[in-house]
Amino acid sequence: MAKGTYPQTAPTYGTYQWLQLRVGLFLRAELDLGTNANYEQWDSYQIGIVDEIIQSGVRNFYYPTLAPGQKKPYAWSFLKKEGTITIATDTSVYALSADFGGMIGDLTWDEAEAARSIKLVSEEELRSSESMETTDGAPKYAAIRAEATAATAIQGFEVVLFPVPPIGLNAKTLRYRYTSLPGILTTTNLYPNGVAGHAETISASCLSCAETMYKGMPGAMTKKYQSRLQASVMLDCLTHRHHNKRLNQDRGGDNEVDRSSHGNS
């Protein structure tokens, strides 16, 4: 039996190194790895190609394509986060979180005495309100827009409030829920979002990308990924439903409104 080389310390399940091992073994012939499964001994080309495939595969998992019959892509519960905005007097534009990828629902005040939410609208609707409604009082509308930026930096997003917050709201806190854009995986940032319940699906997505890149067409790994993706979506739906049910019971309600948008409804 031919002997091979394996990492001295086995990679932790679900981590970046574990994905390196999976992709490397799948492409051992194409990358001339032979029986060398020790990613610590690979050359820069082998490491670079495997990394490219992992980043593509993880993104493919985070933002899956439409399945037959779907009208919009599935949104994972583990990519949903909460952000805050600290209000400044006479300031209507605020930067959103660096990993912002889409607003979920309306914005809400952190203060009990300001329970009214701020409705998320499109930029066009906000401009229409500016010309037709009073500019006095607390903000009633919010619109999301892309920040003006040069190509030397990643473009972020900002929120515009109307009316402009008056002095009475200075230092008050607004909260919002949003879909996040996770950073890339590295040997330091080891764990993909959602890996606790979906490691095999993430791995299958990476192997699907490797298959398409090197084999030239979808095959067995792509079919496996589609099957794993269905299972992961069902698991996430079940987990998210139970979590929301507990939240609604605590709040005395029955339903959650989850409206993902950049304000372009």
Side-chain angles (χ1 to χ4, degrees):
M1 180 181 293
K3 294 184 178 180
T5 305
Y6 195 80
Q8 186 172 1
T9 301
T12 302
Y13 182 74
T15 61
Y16 176 75
Q17 289 93 339
W18 179 75
L19 292 171
Q20 279 185 300
L21 182 61
R22 287 280 180 108
V23 174
L25 288 174
F26 182 69
L27 293 178
R28 55 188 177 275
E30 288 79 4
L31 295 180
D32 196 27
L33 292 174
T35 59
N36 184 9
N38 188 354
Y39 40 78
E40 295 175 350
Q41 297 178 0
W42 296 349
D43 61 34
S44 58
Y45 173 78
Q46 294 163 337
I47 292 173
I49 292 298
V50 169
D51 179 76
E52 177 71 22
I53 290 170
I54 290 173
Q55 306 306 338
S56 181
V58 171
R59 281 290 183 275
N60 189 45
F61 167 72
Y62 287 156
Y63 311 107
T65 56
L66 290 174
Q70 270 189 310
K71 295 184 179 180
K72 61 180 182 178
Y74 183 73
W76 299 106
S77 64
F78 51 79
L79 293 184
K80 297 175 182 179
K81 298 172 64 176
E82 183 179 76
T84 60
I85 296 169
T86 301
I87 296 297
T89 304
D90 295 329
T91 302
S92 62
V93 180
Y94 299 86
L96 294 169
S97 300
D99 62 346
F100 179 86
M103 192 71 77
I104 303 172
D106 297 329
L107 293 81
T108 57
W109 293 102
D110 197 30
E111 304 294 332
E113 65 269 18
R116 182 176 180 179
S117 63
I118 299 178
K119 183 180 180 182
L120 187 66
V121 298
S122 67
E123 282 192 82
E124 292 75 13
E125 290 173 313
L126 188 75
R127 284 194 290 269
S128 177
S129 297
E130 289 175 336
S131 63
M132 297 177 62
E133 298 191 25
T134 177
T135 59
D136 297 329
K140 295 189 295 183
Y141 306 109
I144 309 301
R145 70 185 184 190
E147 293 178 332
T149 184
T152 55
I154 296 176
Q155 189 175 42
F157 290 91
E158 57 191 16
V159 61
V160 185
L161 304 179
F162 176 80
V164 178
I167 190 170
L169 293 177
N170 187 52
K172 299 293 185 182
T173 301
L174 271 177
R175 295 188 179 275
Y176 62 93
R177 282 179 55 75
Y178 68 99
T179 299
S180 63
L181 302 173
I184 65 171
L185 296 184
T186 66
T187 53
T188 301
N189 300 321
L190 299 176
Y191 293 93
N193 286 40
V195 71
H198 308 283
E200 293 296 335
T201 306
I202 295 172
S203 172
S205 178
C206 292
L207 297 186
S208 172
C209 289
E211 181 177 64
T212 302
M213 181 181 292
Y214 271 89
K215 313 292 185 181
M217 58 189 302
M221 290 300 144
T222 300
K223 185 176 180 180
K224 178 181 179 181
Y225 169 57
Q226 292 301 328
S227 176
R228 288 293 323 161
L229 182 61
Q230 290 180 19
S232 282
V233 167
M234 291 178 65
L235 175 62
D236 191 62
C237 284
L238 184 62
T239 303
H240 193 45
R241 186 182 303 121
H242 286 171
H243 174 67
N244 288 336
K245 184 176 181 181
R246 289 195 299 270
L247 285 177
N248 289 325
Q249 287 173 342
D250 292 341
R251 295 169 180 169
D254 296 320
N255 299 299
E256 178 189 79
V257 176
D258 187 3
R259 178 163 54 88
S260 299
S261 174
H262 276 177
N264 298 318
S265 53

Short mmCIF file of all heavy atoms in Angstrom, two decimals, residues 190-249:
data_model
loop_
_atom_site.label_atom_id
_atom_site.label_comp_id
_atom_site.label_asym_id
_atom_site.label_seq_id
_atom_site.Cartn_x
_atom_site.Cartn_y
_atom_site.Cartn_z
N LEU A 190 -11.05 30.92 11.08
CA LEU A 190 -11.15 29.51 10.69
C LEU A 190 -12.55 29.04 10.36
O LEU A 190 -12.72 28.15 9.51
CB LEU A 190 -10.61 28.63 11.83
CG LEU A 190 -9.15 28.82 12.23
CD1 LEU A 190 -8.84 27.94 13.44
CD2 LEU A 190 -8.24 28.45 11.07
N TYR A 191 -13.56 29.59 11.03
CA TYR A 191 -14.88 28.96 11.00
C TYR A 191 -15.87 29.71 10.10
O TYR A 191 -16.13 30.89 10.31
CB TYR A 191 -15.46 28.90 12.41
CG TYR A 191 -14.71 27.97 13.32
CD1 TYR A 191 -13.68 28.45 14.14
CD2 TYR A 191 -15.01 26.62 13.37
CE1 TYR A 191 -12.97 27.59 14.98
CE2 TYR A 191 -14.31 25.76 14.21
CZ TYR A 191 -13.30 26.24 15.01
OH TYR A 191 -12.60 25.40 15.83
N PRO A 192 -16.45 29.05 9.12
CA PRO A 192 -17.51 29.68 8.32
C PRO A 192 -18.76 29.91 9.17
O PRO A 192 -19.00 29.18 10.14
CB PRO A 192 -17.80 28.63 7.23
CG PRO A 192 -16.67 27.66 7.27
CD PRO A 192 -16.14 27.68 8.66
N ASN A 193 -19.52 30.91 8.82
CA ASN A 193 -20.81 31.10 9.49
C ASN A 193 -21.70 29.89 9.22
O ASN A 193 -21.76 29.39 8.11
CB ASN A 193 -21.50 32.36 8.97
CG ASN A 193 -20.87 33.63 9.48
OD1 ASN A 193 -19.65 33.73 9.58
ND2 ASN A 193 -21.68 34.62 9.80
N GLY A 194 -22.40 29.42 10.26
CA GLY A 194 -23.31 28.30 10.10
C GLY A 194 -22.67 26.94 10.10
O GLY A 194 -23.35 25.93 9.89
N VAL A 195 -21.36 26.88 10.37
CA VAL A 195 -20.65 25.61 10.24
C VAL A 195 -21.13 24.57 11.25
O VAL A 195 -21.04 23.36 10.99
CB VAL A 195 -19.12 25.83 10.36
CG1 VAL A 195 -18.73 26.17 11.79
CG2 VAL A 195 -18.35 24.61 9.88
N ALA A 196 -21.65 25.02 12.39
CA ALA A 196 -22.04 24.06 13.43
C ALA A 196 -23.04 23.03 12.91
O ALA A 196 -22.97 21.85 13.27
CB ALA A 196 -22.63 24.81 14.62
N GLY A 197 -23.96 23.45 12.07
CA GLY A 197 -24.95 22.51 11.56
C GLY A 197 -24.83 22.20 10.09
O GLY A 197 -25.59 21.37 9.57
N HIS A 198 -23.88 22.86 9.39
CA HIS A 198 -23.87 22.75 7.94
C HIS A 198 -22.48 22.50 7.35
O HIS A 198 -22.24 22.82 6.18
CB HIS A 198 -24.46 24.03 7.34
CG HIS A 198 -25.79 24.41 7.90
ND1 HIS A 198 -26.96 23.76 7.54
CD2 HIS A 198 -26.14 25.34 8.82
CE1 HIS A 198 -27.98 24.30 8.21
NE2 HIS A 198 -27.51 25.25 8.99
N ALA A 199 -21.57 21.93 8.12
CA ALA A 199 -20.20 21.72 7.64
C ALA A 199 -20.16 20.87 6.37
O ALA A 199 -19.42 21.18 5.43
CB ALA A 199 -19.35 21.07 8.74
N GLU A 200 -20.95 19.80 6.33
CA GLU A 200 -20.91 18.92 5.16
C GLU A 200 -21.47 19.61 3.92
O GLU A 200 -21.01 19.36 2.81
CB GLU A 200 -21.70 17.64 5.45
CG GLU A 200 -21.07 16.74 6.51
CD GLU A 200 -19.71 16.20 6.09
OE1 GLU A 200 -19.44 16.10 4.87
OE2 GLU A 200 -18.90 15.88 6.99
N THR A 201 -22.44 20.50 4.11
CA THR A 201 -22.98 21.24 2.98
C THR A 201 -21.96 22.25 2.46
O THR A 201 -21.81 22.43 1.24
CB THR A 201 -24.28 21.97 3.38
OG1 THR A 201 -25.19 21.03 3.94
CG2 THR A 201 -24.93 22.65 2.18
N ILE A 202 -21.25 22.91 3.37
CA ILE A 202 -20.20 23.85 2.96
C ILE A 202 -19.10 23.12 2.20
O ILE A 202 -18.62 23.57 1.16
CB ILE A 202 -19.64 24.57 4.19
CG1 ILE A 202 -20.72 25.44 4.84
CG2 ILE A 202 -18.44 25.44 3.80
CD1 ILE A 202 -20.33 26.04 6.17
N SER A 203 -18.71 21.96 2.71
CA SER A 203 -17.71 21.14 2.02
C SER A 203 -18.19 20.74 0.63
O SER A 203 -17.44 20.84 -0.35
CB SER A 203 -17.40 19.89 2.85
OG SER A 203 -16.58 19.00 2.13
N ALA A 204 -19.43 20.31 0.53
CA ALA A 204 -19.98 19.90 -0.77
C ALA A 204 -20.02 21.08 -1.74
O ALA A 204 -19.79 20.91 -2.95
CB ALA A 204 -21.38 19.33 -0.58
N SER A 205 -20.30 22.27 -1.23
CA SER A 205 -20.30 23.46 -2.09
C SER A 205 -18.90 23.73 -2.63
O SER A 205 -18.73 24.04 -3.82
CB SER A 205 -20.80 24.68 -1.29
OG SER A 205 -20.77 25.84 -2.09
N CYS A 206 -17.89 23.59 -1.77
CA CYS A 206 -16.50 23.79 -2.23
C CYS A 206 -16.11 22.76 -3.28
O CYS A 206 -15.48 23.10 -4.29
CB CYS A 206 -15.55 23.71 -1.03
SG CYS A 206 -15.71 25.07 0.15
N LEU A 207 -16.48 21.50 -3.07
CA LEU A 207 -16.14 20.46 -4.04
C LEU A 207 -16.91 20.65 -5.34
O LEU A 207 -16.41 20.32 -6.42
CB LEU A 207 -16.42 19.08 -3.43
CG LEU A 207 -15.59 18.72 -2.20
CD1 LEU A 207 -15.86 17.27 -1.79
CD2 LEU A 207 -14.11 18.95 -2.43
N SER A 208 -18.11 21.19 -5.24
CA SER A 208 -18.88 21.51 -6.45
C SER A 208 -18.17 22.58 -7.27
O SER A 208 -18.08 22.48 -8.50
CB SER A 208 -20.29 21.98 -6.07
OG SER A 208 -20.99 22.46 -7.20
N CYS A 209 -17.64 23.60 -6.58
CA CYS A 209 -16.89 24.64 -7.28
C CYS A 209 -15.60 24.08 -7.88
O CYS A 209 -15.22 24.44 -9.00
CB CYS A 209 -16.56 25.79 -6.32
SG CYS A 209 -17.99 26.78 -5.84
N ALA A 210 -14.94 23.20 -7.15
CA ALA A 210 -13.73 22.57 -7.66
C ALA A 210 -14.04 21.73 -8.90
O ALA A 210 -13.29 21.74 -9.88
CB ALA A 210 -13.10 21.69 -6.58
N GLU A 211 -15.13 21.02 -8.84
CA GLU A 211 -15.55 20.18 -9.97
C GLU A 211 -15.80 21.01 -11.21
O GLU A 211 -15.34 20.68 -12.31
CB GLU A 211 -16.82 19.43 -9.57
CG GLU A 211 -17.38 18.50 -10.62
CD GLU A 211 -18.59 17.76 -10.08
OE1 GLU A 211 -19.60 18.44 -9.77
OE2 GLU A 211 -18.52 16.53 -9.96
N THR A 212 -16.52 22.12 -11.05
CA THR A 212 -16.83 22.98 -12.19
C THR A 212 -15.57 23.63 -12.74
O THR A 212 -15.39 23.74 -13.96
CB THR A 212 -17.85 24.07 -11.78
OG1 THR A 212 -19.02 23.43 -11.27
CG2 THR A 212 -18.22 24.94 -12.97
N MET A 213 -14.67 24.06 -11.85
CA MET A 213 -13.46 24.75 -12.28
C MET A 213 -12.51 23.83 -13.02
O MET A 213 -11.93 24.20 -14.06
CB MET A 213 -12.75 25.37 -11.08
CG MET A 213 -11.48 26.13 -11.44
SD MET A 213 -10.62 26.82 -9.98
CE MET A 213 -11.81 28.07 -9.46
N TYR A 214 -12.34 22.60 -12.51
CA TYR A 214 -11.33 21.71 -13.06
C TYR A 214 -11.86 20.62 -13.98
O TYR A 214 -11.16 20.14 -14.85
CB TYR A 214 -10.51 21.08 -11.93
CG TYR A 214 -9.31 21.92 -11.56
CD1 TYR A 214 -9.42 22.91 -10.60
CD2 TYR A 214 -8.10 21.75 -12.20
CE1 TYR A 214 -8.33 23.70 -10.27
CE2 TYR A 214 -7.01 22.53 -11.88
CZ TYR A 214 -7.12 23.51 -10.92
OH TYR A 214 -6.05 24.30 -10.60
N LYS A 215 -13.12 20.23 -13.75
CA LYS A 215 -13.68 19.18 -14.59
C LYS A 215 -14.41 19.78 -15.79
O LYS A 215 -14.73 19.08 -16.75
CB LYS A 215 -14.64 18.29 -13.80
CG LYS A 215 -14.12 17.82 -12.44
CD LYS A 215 -12.98 16.84 -12.55
CE LYS A 215 -12.60 16.31 -11.17
NZ LYS A 215 -11.46 15.37 -11.22
N GLY A 216 -14.76 21.08 -15.67
CA GLY A 216 -15.36 21.76 -16.81
C GLY A 216 -16.87 21.75 -16.85
O GLY A 216 -17.47 22.46 -17.64
N MET A 217 -17.51 20.95 -15.99
CA MET A 217 -18.96 20.88 -16.01
C MET A 217 -19.47 20.29 -14.69
O MET A 217 -18.74 19.58 -14.01
CB MET A 217 -19.46 20.03 -17.19
CG MET A 217 -18.94 18.60 -17.18
SD MET A 217 -19.35 17.71 -18.71
CE MET A 217 -21.12 17.85 -18.71
N PRO A 218 -20.72 20.59 -14.33
CA PRO A 218 -21.29 20.03 -13.10
C PRO A 218 -21.35 18.51 -13.19
O PRO A 218 -21.57 17.94 -14.26
CB PRO A 218 -22.70 20.64 -13.04
CG PRO A 218 -22.64 21.84 -13.90
CD PRO A 218 -21.67 21.52 -15.00
N GLY A 219 -21.15 17.86 -12.03
CA GLY A 219 -21.18 16.40 -12.00
C GLY A 219 -21.71 15.89 -10.68
O GLY A 219 -22.60 16.48 -10.07
N ALA A 220 -21.10 14.82 -10.18
CA ALA A 220 -21.57 14.16 -8.97
C ALA A 220 -21.50 15.07 -7.75
O ALA A 220 -22.39 15.05 -6.89
CB ALA A 220 -20.76 12.89 -8.73
N MET A 221 -20.44 15.89 -7.65
CA MET A 221 -20.29 16.76 -6.48
C MET A 221 -21.34 17.88 -6.47
O MET A 221 -21.83 18.27 -5.41
CB MET A 221 -18.89 17.36 -6.44
CG MET A 221 -17.83 16.35 -6.11
SD MET A 221 -18.12 15.58 -4.49
CE MET A 221 -17.59 13.90 -4.82
N THR A 222 -21.67 18.36 -7.66
CA THR A 222 -22.71 19.39 -7.74
C THR A 222 -24.06 18.81 -7.35
O THR A 222 -24.84 19.45 -6.64
CB THR A 222 -22.77 19.96 -9.17
OG1 THR A 222 -21.50 20.55 -9.49
CG2 THR A 222 -23.87 21.03 -9.28
N LYS A 223 -24.32 17.60 -7.78
CA LYS A 223 -25.56 16.93 -7.41
C LYS A 223 -25.61 16.69 -5.90
O LYS A 223 -26.66 16.90 -5.26
CB LYS A 223 -25.67 15.59 -8.15
CG LYS A 223 -26.99 14.87 -7.92
CD LYS A 223 -27.07 13.60 -8.77
CE LYS A 223 -28.39 12.89 -8.54
NZ LYS A 223 -28.48 11.64 -9.36
N LYS A 224 -24.47 16.30 -5.34
CA LYS A 224 -24.42 16.09 -3.88
C LYS A 224 -24.66 17.40 -3.14
O LYS A 224 -25.37 17.43 -2.13
CB LYS A 224 -23.06 15.51 -3.49
CG LYS A 224 -22.91 15.30 -1.98
CD LYS A 224 -21.53 14.75 -1.63
CE LYS A 224 -21.39 14.57 -0.11
NZ LYS A 224 -20.05 14.05 0.25
N TYR A 225 -24.08 18.49 -3.65
CA TYR A 225 -24.26 19.79 -2.99
C TYR A 225 -25.73 20.20 -3.01
O TYR A 225 -26.25 20.69 -2.00
CB TYR A 225 -23.41 20.86 -3.67
CG TYR A 225 -23.76 22.26 -3.22
CD1 TYR A 225 -23.71 22.61 -1.87
CD2 TYR A 225 -24.17 23.22 -4.13
CE1 TYR A 225 -24.05 23.89 -1.45
CE2 TYR A 225 -24.51 24.49 -3.72
CZ TYR A 225 -24.45 24.82 -2.38
OH TYR A 225 -24.80 26.08 -1.97
N GLN A 226 -26.41 20.01 -4.12
CA GLN A 226 -27.82 20.38 -4.20
C GLN A 226 -28.65 19.59 -3.19
O GLN A 226 -29.57 20.12 -2.55
CB GLN A 226 -28.34 20.15 -5.62
CG GLN A 226 -27.75 21.08 -6.66
CD GLN A 226 -28.00 22.54 -6.37
OE1 GLN A 226 -29.03 22.91 -5.79
NE2 GLN A 226 -27.06 23.40 -6.74
N SER A 227 -28.31 18.33 -3.02
CA SER A 227 -29.01 17.50 -2.04
C SER A 227 -28.72 17.97 -0.62
O SER A 227 -29.63 18.09 0.21
CB SER A 227 -28.59 16.04 -2.21
OG SER A 227 -29.18 15.22 -1.22
N ARG A 228 -27.44 18.25 -0.34
CA ARG A 228 -27.07 18.73 0.98
C ARG A 228 -27.70 20.09 1.26
O ARG A 228 -28.10 20.38 2.39
CB ARG A 228 -25.54 18.85 1.08
CG ARG A 228 -24.77 17.54 1.16
CD ARG A 228 -25.02 16.78 2.42
NE ARG A 228 -25.16 17.67 3.58
CZ ARG A 228 -25.73 17.31 4.72
NH1 ARG A 228 -26.26 16.10 4.85
NH2 ARG A 228 -25.80 18.14 5.72
N LEU A 229 -27.77 20.93 0.25
CA LEU A 229 -28.33 22.27 0.42
C LEU A 229 -29.80 22.19 0.83
O LEU A 229 -30.25 22.93 1.71
CB LEU A 229 -28.18 23.07 -0.87
CG LEU A 229 -28.69 24.52 -0.84
CD1 LEU A 229 -27.93 25.33 0.20
CD2 LEU A 229 -28.54 25.15 -2.22
N GLN A 230 -30.55 21.30 0.22
CA GLN A 230 -31.96 21.13 0.59
C GLN A 230 -32.08 20.72 2.06
O GLN A 230 -32.94 21.24 2.78
CB GLN A 230 -32.59 20.07 -0.30
CG GLN A 230 -32.78 20.51 -1.75
CD GLN A 230 -33.43 19.42 -2.58
OE1 GLN A 230 -34.04 18.49 -2.06
NE2 GLN A 230 -33.29 19.53 -3.90
N ALA A 231 -31.21 19.81 2.48
CA ALA A 231 -31.26 19.36 3.88
C ALA A 231 -30.90 20.51 4.83
O ALA A 231 -31.52 20.68 5.89
CB ALA A 231 -30.30 18.19 4.08
N SER A 232 -29.90 21.31 4.46
CA SER A 232 -29.50 22.43 5.31
C SER A 232 -30.58 23.49 5.41
O SER A 232 -30.81 24.07 6.47
CB SER A 232 -28.20 23.05 4.78
OG SER A 232 -27.08 22.27 5.13
N VAL A 233 -31.24 23.77 4.29
CA VAL A 233 -32.33 24.75 4.30
C VAL A 233 -33.45 24.28 5.21
O VAL A 233 -34.00 25.05 6.01
CB VAL A 233 -32.86 25.00 2.87
CG1 VAL A 233 -34.19 25.77 2.90
CG2 VAL A 233 -31.84 25.78 2.05
N MET A 234 -33.79 23.01 5.14
CA MET A 234 -34.84 22.47 6.00
C MET A 234 -34.45 22.57 7.48
O MET A 234 -35.26 22.94 8.33
CB MET A 234 -35.12 21.01 5.63
CG MET A 234 -35.80 20.85 4.27
SD MET A 234 -36.07 19.10 3.84
CE MET A 234 -37.24 18.62 5.12
N LEU A 235 -33.18 22.26 7.78
CA LEU A 235 -32.69 22.35 9.16
C LEU A 235 -32.73 23.79 9.65
O LEU A 235 -33.16 24.07 10.78
CB LEU A 235 -31.27 21.80 9.24
CG LEU A 235 -30.57 21.94 10.60
CD1 LEU A 235 -31.33 21.16 11.68
CD2 LEU A 235 -29.12 21.45 10.50
N ASP A 236 -32.29 24.72 8.81
CA ASP A 236 -32.27 26.13 9.21
C ASP A 236 -33.69 26.67 9.41
O ASP A 236 -33.94 27.42 10.35
CB ASP A 236 -31.54 26.96 8.14
CG ASP A 236 -31.24 28.37 8.61
OD1 ASP A 236 -30.49 28.52 9.59
OD2 ASP A 236 -31.77 29.32 8.01
N CYS A 237 -34.60 26.28 8.53
CA CYS A 237 -36.00 26.69 8.68
C CYS A 237 -36.57 26.20 10.01
O CYS A 237 -37.25 26.94 10.72
CB CYS A 237 -36.84 26.14 7.53
SG CYS A 237 -36.63 27.00 5.96
N LEU A 238 -36.29 24.94 10.32
CA LEU A 238 -36.80 24.35 11.56
C LEU A 238 -36.21 25.05 12.78
O LEU A 238 -36.94 25.42 13.70
CB LEU A 238 -36.46 22.86 11.60
CG LEU A 238 -37.00 22.06 12.79
CD1 LEU A 238 -38.52 22.08 12.81
CD2 LEU A 238 -36.48 20.63 12.74
N THR A 239 -34.90 25.28 12.77
CA THR A 239 -34.24 25.95 13.90
C THR A 239 -34.75 27.37 14.05
O THR A 239 -35.05 27.82 15.16
CB THR A 239 -32.71 25.95 13.67
OG1 THR A 239 -32.25 24.62 13.52
CG2 THR A 239 -32.01 26.61 14.85
N HIS A 240 -34.86 28.08 12.94
CA HIS A 240 -35.30 29.48 12.97
C HIS A 240 -36.75 29.59 13.41
O HIS A 240 -37.12 30.49 14.16
CB HIS A 240 -35.13 30.08 11.57
CG HIS A 240 -35.26 31.57 11.52
ND1 HIS A 240 -34.64 32.40 12.42
CD2 HIS A 240 -35.95 32.38 10.68
CE1 HIS A 240 -34.93 33.66 12.13
NE2 HIS A 240 -35.72 33.67 11.09
N ARG A 241 -37.57 28.63 12.98
CA ARG A 241 -38.99 28.65 13.35
C ARG A 241 -39.15 28.47 14.85
O ARG A 241 -39.94 29.16 15.50
CB ARG A 241 -39.74 27.57 12.60
CG ARG A 241 -41.27 27.61 12.80
CD ARG A 241 -41.95 26.48 12.06
NE ARG A 241 -41.65 26.51 10.64
CZ ARG A 241 -41.07 25.50 9.99
NH1 ARG A 241 -40.73 24.40 10.64
NH2 ARG A 241 -40.82 25.60 8.71
N HIS A 242 -38.40 27.53 15.43
CA HIS A 242 -38.48 27.29 16.87
C HIS A 242 -37.98 28.51 17.66
O HIS A 242 -38.56 28.88 18.67
CB HIS A 242 -37.65 26.06 17.25
CG HIS A 242 -38.32 24.78 16.82
ND1 HIS A 242 -37.67 23.57 16.89
CD2 HIS A 242 -39.55 24.53 16.31
CE1 HIS A 242 -38.49 22.61 16.45
NE2 HIS A 242 -39.62 23.18 16.10
N HIS A 243 -36.91 29.13 17.14
CA HIS A 243 -36.37 30.32 17.82
C HIS A 243 -37.40 31.45 17.79
O HIS A 243 -37.65 32.11 18.80
CB HIS A 243 -35.09 30.76 17.13
CG HIS A 243 -34.52 32.04 17.65
ND1 HIS A 243 -34.01 32.16 18.92
CD2 HIS A 243 -34.41 33.28 17.08
CE1 HIS A 243 -33.60 33.40 19.12
NE2 HIS A 243 -33.83 34.11 18.02
N ASN A 244 -38.02 31.67 16.62
CA ASN A 244 -39.01 32.75 16.50
C ASN A 244 -40.24 32.47 17.34
O ASN A 244 -40.85 33.39 17.89
CB ASN A 244 -39.42 32.92 15.03
CG ASN A 244 -38.31 33.55 14.21
OD1 ASN A 244 -37.46 34.24 14.75
ND2 ASN A 244 -38.32 33.31 12.91
N LYS A 245 -40.61 31.20 17.43
CA LYS A 245 -41.79 30.85 18.24
C LYS A 245 -41.56 31.21 19.69
O LYS A 245 -42.44 31.76 20.36
CB LYS A 245 -42.08 29.35 18.10
CG LYS A 245 -43.35 28.91 18.83
CD LYS A 245 -43.63 27.44 18.57
CE LYS A 245 -44.91 27.00 19.29
NZ LYS A 245 -45.18 25.56 19.06
N ARG A 246 -40.34 30.94 20.19
CA ARG A 246 -40.03 31.30 21.58
C ARG A 246 -40.04 32.81 21.77
O ARG A 246 -40.55 33.32 22.76
CB ARG A 246 -38.66 30.73 21.97
CG ARG A 246 -38.64 29.22 22.14
CD ARG A 246 -37.39 28.77 22.86
NE ARG A 246 -36.19 29.13 22.13
CZ ARG A 246 -35.63 28.35 21.22
NH1 ARG A 246 -36.16 27.17 20.91
NH2 ARG A 246 -34.53 28.73 20.60
N LEU A 247 -39.48 33.54 20.79
CA LEU A 247 -39.47 35.00 20.88
C LEU A 247 -40.88 35.56 20.89
O LEU A 247 -41.22 36.44 21.68
CB LEU A 247 -38.68 35.59 19.70
CG LEU A 247 -37.17 35.49 19.74
CD1 LEU A 247 -36.58 36.07 18.46
CD2 LEU A 247 -36.60 36.19 20.96
N ASN A 248 -41.73 35.03 20.01
CA ASN A 248 -43.09 35.54 19.91
C ASN A 248 -43.91 35.20 21.16
O ASN A 248 -44.76 35.97 21.59
CB ASN A 248 -43.78 34.97 18.66
CG ASN A 248 -43.21 35.56 17.38
OD1 ASN A 248 -42.85 36.74 17.35
ND2 ASN A 248 -43.11 34.76 16.34
N GLN A 249 -43.64 34.04 21.74
CA GLN A 249 -44.33 33.69 22.98
C GLN A 249 -43.93 34.65 24.10
O GLN A 249 -44.75 35.07 24.90
CB GLN A 249 -44.01 32.24 23.36
CG GLN A 249 -44.70 31.22 22.48
CD GLN A 249 -44.23 29.80 22.78
OE1 GLN A 249 -43.18 29.60 23.39
NE2 GLN A 249 -44.99 28.83 22.33
#
